[in-house]
Amino acid sequence: MKAAQDTQKPDSCPSLLDVESVRKDFPLLARRVHGKPLVYFDNGATSQKPQPVIDALNRYYTEENSNIHRGVHYLSELATSLYEEARKKLRRFVNARRLEEIIFVRGTTEAINLVAQSYGRKFLGAGDEIIVSAMEHHSNIVPWQMLCEQVGARLRVIPINHDGELVLDEFRRLFNDRTKLVSVTHVSNALGTVVPVKEIVRLAHAGGVPVLLDGAQAVPHLPVDVQEIECDFYAFSGHKMFGPTGVGVLYGRAELLDKMPPYQGGGDMISLVTFEKTHYNVLPYKFEAGTPNIAGGIGLGAAVDYLAGLDWDQVAAHERDLLEYATQAITKIDGLRIIGTAKEKAGVISFVLDHVHAHDVGTILDQEGVAVRAGHHCAMPVMQRFGVPATTRASFAFYNTRAEIDILVGALHRVLKVFG
Amino acid sequence: MSELDDLYQEVILDHNKSPRNFRAIGDADRKADGYNPLCGDQVTVYLKMENGKIKDVSFQGSGCAISKASASLMTAALKGKTQSEAEHLFDNVHKMLTGISADGDQTQEVGKLAILSGVCKFPARVKCASLAWHTVMSALKGEAEAATTE
């Protein structure tokens, strides 16, 4: 932390990102809550949407709506080409080798369930092992537990240390001949920890084991290159990366996806249906049964375009500054303890206050216009690991400011006053 | 501002800090666990019955100020009540918390529990305040499953 530098110029942000101009792109940020200007620090739950994304959704339903991959008419062709154009944008966004490696899903949860039920049921059997980490979101725990029940496999858990970092030596120790899949998060939603995923992939691949990464919290903060990481699957949600809800992506290496059976049956995922036998469609359509979230896919494409227009060195510098500034400022509050102090962190601060429950903190902050998450963050094992029932979590996006952090600090002082 | 003051009144903060009947009852004849899956709040309620009346009632667990204060106030209010009196009180408290009746009738009927009426202005917190009540109801009915607010 660059404490000395930061305190010398508390009002100016050292990054060059023009935050005020960026904020104007997000209309919701201008609203008030309980008569106070909104301070939106719940980006880990979902991000706000820039105007181009809202416009894309509006334009789709106003001028372009039609079903895709079917009609011969003009609108159907238009909608199809817009939807497939969005797939191309997402391929570039994560730098997948091939377009058919981008499968549209409802979100990260569905992506992980897809791999568990398709890859898992085909390639895992009794006695096989799946490795996850102790900082997973429930969506990267429960699908594997369900698979374990179905095929008799076993879930193994890489522990985390007191800072909320994954213990790599323990991962090496857990890894064995029965290990058939590794599924870990890229960035922890509850702690903010950035996991050394390249190292995990390297170790797993040395044993010939594929790796799925839960990228839901990574894509809003870091440039992701699946070829550089060399992961086998990468799952993420649109709504956490400034796109619409109800759409997300599973990236999968084509060699693996080709060997996997369909996840759901229905329209669009077939090439020929008779009552005797059905032939499945090619990738990626084999995994996209039914009419998808067309507007959502197109809107997510617009989010990717928006993000591509930002300077990501500036974004990274600004987010690092926010995290350092906020960490320093709230650490000064009496009785406050930050949960998750990894060396490599994204813009997430989870904390507990002595004698004040996270829910009470959340309600009082809300009255000050500050939106945070209070609870277990769908990561109950993380709460158990740190011996707390719940935490308050402030999660930042590039449109947040130091001034907003000052408001958070002021609101936390109000909490202390109420519970004095 | 004033809504927040209504929610966190002195009495509530006091019950949060020093909850009454915050203990286990060793020879409880009824006991139930309550759980709010939304936030992880957890409560165990113990009951000791005698001659069809609640002789002793206590709770343990972890939760926010609202859930703790509500549980604490509840234990004080339920002592000496029959099962049907307890159920009647639960109905009135529930109506008050969810804001179904704003005409003040309930506040008469719930007595000291009226202090919790500020909760109805905070829909996200109704479940915090009602968790212990759902749990004591399942204990009274002898239900095996843990009570939840869902």
Side-chain angles (χ1 to χ4, degrees):
Chain A
M1 308 259 159
K2 293 171 286 182
Q5 277 178 25
D6 285 352
T7 44
Q8 274 164 18
K9 39 179 179 174
D11 297 325
S12 71
C13 213
S15 91
L16 296 169
L17 185 72
D18 185 355
V19 186
E20 283 317 309
S21 143
V22 164
R23 287 178 71 81
K24 291 198 180 84
D25 296 332
F26 292 80
L28 193 138
L29 295 179
R31 72 158 291 167
R32 297 172 81 84
V33 167
H34 302 304
K36 309 260 169 70
L38 168 69
V39 173
Y40 189 75
F41 284 161
D42 198 16
N43 296 285
T46 197
S47 60
Q48 298 305 337
K49 321 303 174 196
Q51 193 64 50
V53 170
I54 300 165
D55 289 345
L57 294 174
N58 193 26
R59 187 168 56 241
Y60 175 74
Y61 284 121
T62 311
E63 299 171 24
E64 301 155 352
N65 175 54
S66 192
N67 212 331
I68 56 169
H69 302 146
R70 322 179 146 53
V72 292
H73 59 81
Y74 174 79
L75 279 180
S76 176
E77 283 178 10
L78 176 64
T80 303
S81 80
L82 291 167
Y83 190 68
E84 291 305 325
E85 197 55 44
R87 195 190 305 275
K88 288 179 195 162
K89 291 172 186 177
L90 283 145
R91 185 203 69 75
R92 284 196 294 274
F93 181 67
V94 294
N95 193 31
R97 272 175 218 88
R98 295 160 60 178
L99 189 59
E100 58 268 35
E101 294 179 321
I102 299 297
I103 296 160
F104 279 122
V105 290
R106 274 191 298 142
T108 309
T109 299
E110 188 176 51
I112 297 173
N113 276 277
L114 190 162
V115 176
Q117 290 302 308
S118 171
Y119 184 89
R121 287 184 86 156
K122 178 148 180 184
F123 294 108
L124 272 75
D128 287 343
E129 295 182 357
I130 302 155
I131 298 182
V132 298
S133 87
M135 67 175 110
E136 300 308 322
H137 187 281
H138 296 161
S139 64
N140 199 21
I141 300 173
V142 184
W144 306 116
Q145 288 175 325
M146 290 164 65
L147 174 66
C148 286
E149 273 184 30
Q150 289 159 345
V151 303
R154 186 176 170 213
L155 197 62
R156 308 296 302 271
V157 183
I158 314 165
I160 52 178
N161 66 22
H162 200 69
D163 287 321
E165 296 165 323
L166 204 139
V167 185
L168 275 177
D169 281 344
E170 292 291 325
F171 175 57
R172 290 189 191 94
R173 208 177 53 74
L174 283 173
F175 206 89
N176 66 61
D177 291 346
R178 294 181 301 273
T179 308
K180 290 288 153 42
L181 194 71
V182 174
S183 188
V184 294
T185 192
H186 191 172
V187 172
S188 156
N189 74 311
L191 304 169
T193 312
V194 180
V195 174
V197 288
K198 279 183 79 170
E199 182 65 5
I200 300 264
V201 171
R202 198 183 63 75
L203 291 167
H205 282 185
V209 171
V211 177
L212 182 152
L213 297 178
D214 169 356
Q217 298 291 339
V219 287
H221 299 292
L222 325 163
V224 170
D225 181 332
V226 292
Q227 293 192 62
E228 197 215 333
I229 299 170
E230 294 188 87
C231 56
D232 302 275
F233 300 103
Y234 197 91
F236 58 100
S237 300
H239 71 98
K240 292 190 202 286
M241 52 172 280
F242 317 99
T245 53
V247 67
V249 168
L250 172 67
Y251 156 81
R253 277 204 299 122
E255 304 90 281
L256 290 178
L257 294 174
D258 269 331
K259 291 184 207 154
M260 290 158 54
Y263 168 53
Q264 292 176 330
D268 227 17
M269 54 74 72
I270 46 81
S271 59
L272 177 73
V273 176
T274 66
F275 281 111
E276 286 69 42
K277 181 163 175 61
T278 288
H279 296 270
Y280 302 132
N281 207 338
V282 295
L283 289 176
Y285 312 110
K286 180 170 86 174
F287 292 108
E288 295 182 351
T291 297
N293 183 351
I294 305 168
I298 294 168
L300 182 52
V304 169
D305 285 343
Y306 180 82
L307 293 175
L310 297 172
D311 178 328
W312 277 76
D313 289 336
Q314 285 181 8
V315 167
H318 177 63
E319 288 197 15
R320 204 165 42 242
D321 176 70
L322 287 177
L323 180 64
E324 288 176 6
Y325 184 77
T327 303
Q328 275 187 55
I330 76 166
T331 306
K332 288 183 194 142
I333 292 168
D334 274 349
L336 186 145
R337 178 162 65 101
I338 292 178
I339 306 287
T341 45
K343 282 188 249 352
E344 294 292 327
K345 260 185 86 169
V348 172
I349 299 184
S350 255
F351 59 90
V352 290
L353 266 177
D354 283 349
H355 315 301
V356 190
H357 192 276
H359 268 192
D360 299 309
V361 176
T363 292
I364 296 170
L365 296 189
D366 176 57
Q367 292 294 305
E368 299 292 320
V370 181
V372 293
R373 172 90 190 260
H376 54 57
H377 317 296
C378 297
M380 288 186 187
V382 175
M383 301 296 110
Q384 289 150 16
R385 163 67 179 77
F386 287 95
V388 295
T391 71
T392 306
R393 179 188 71 183
S395 50
F396 310 125
F398 52 73
Y399 46 59
N400 290 126
T401 65
R402 283 187 174 199
E404 290 182 306
I405 291 165
D406 294 339
I407 296 173
L408 166 70
V409 171
L412 284 169
H413 282 291
R414 174 138 192 237
V415 173
L416 296 184
K417 212 171 142 204
V418 170
F419 280 86
Chain B
M1 187 81 180
S2 67
E3 282 182 3
L4 198 62
D5 294 338
D6 279 351
L7 185 65
Y8 293 111
Q9 299 191 42
E10 270 315 306
V11 177
I12 288 183
L13 294 171
D14 175 57
H15 276 263
N16 171 51
K17 223 173 202 172
S18 347
R20 324 295 195 259
N21 305 304
F22 190 70
R23 56 183 160 82
I25 298 175
D27 59 344
D29 36 36
R30 293 182 204 178
K31 177 187 155 204
D33 295 317
Y35 187 61
N36 184 347
L38 206 67
C39 57
D41 283 0
Q42 181 271 325
V43 66
T44 304
V45 171
Y46 303 85
L47 278 173
K48 181 81 186 157
M49 305 296 288
E50 194 177 79
N51 302 324
K53 285 187 176 171
I54 297 169
K55 188 189 175 203
D56 195 10
V57 49
S58 70
F59 79 105
Q60 285 184 313
S62 71
C64 61
I66 304 302
S67 78
K68 225 190 228 177
S70 178
S72 171
L73 286 157
M74 176 190 83
T75 56
L78 285 181
K79 269 185 205 174
K81 293 222 166 8
T82 65
Q83 178 160 343
S84 73
E85 284 167 348
E87 283 167 5
H88 183 66
L89 188 59
F90 168 79
D91 285 342
N92 286 332
V93 166
H94 199 260
K95 279 179 192 156
M96 173 183 76
L97 293 177
T98 51
I100 286 173
S101 172
D103 59 9
D105 283 2
Q106 261 74 44
T107 27
Q108 288 266 309
E109 291 214 35
V110 299
K112 282 183 185 168
L113 297 168
I115 199 89
L116 288 164
S117 62
V119 172
C120 74
K121 296 274 171 54
F122 296 83
R125 307 302 299 277
V126 171
K127 287 176 177 179
C128 308
S130 59
L131 177 63
W133 289 88
H134 284 290
T135 309
V136 82
M137 283 302 120
S138 85
L140 276 170
K141 289 170 188 159
E143 287 167 2
E145 285 278 305
T148 83
T149 52
E150 292 301 293

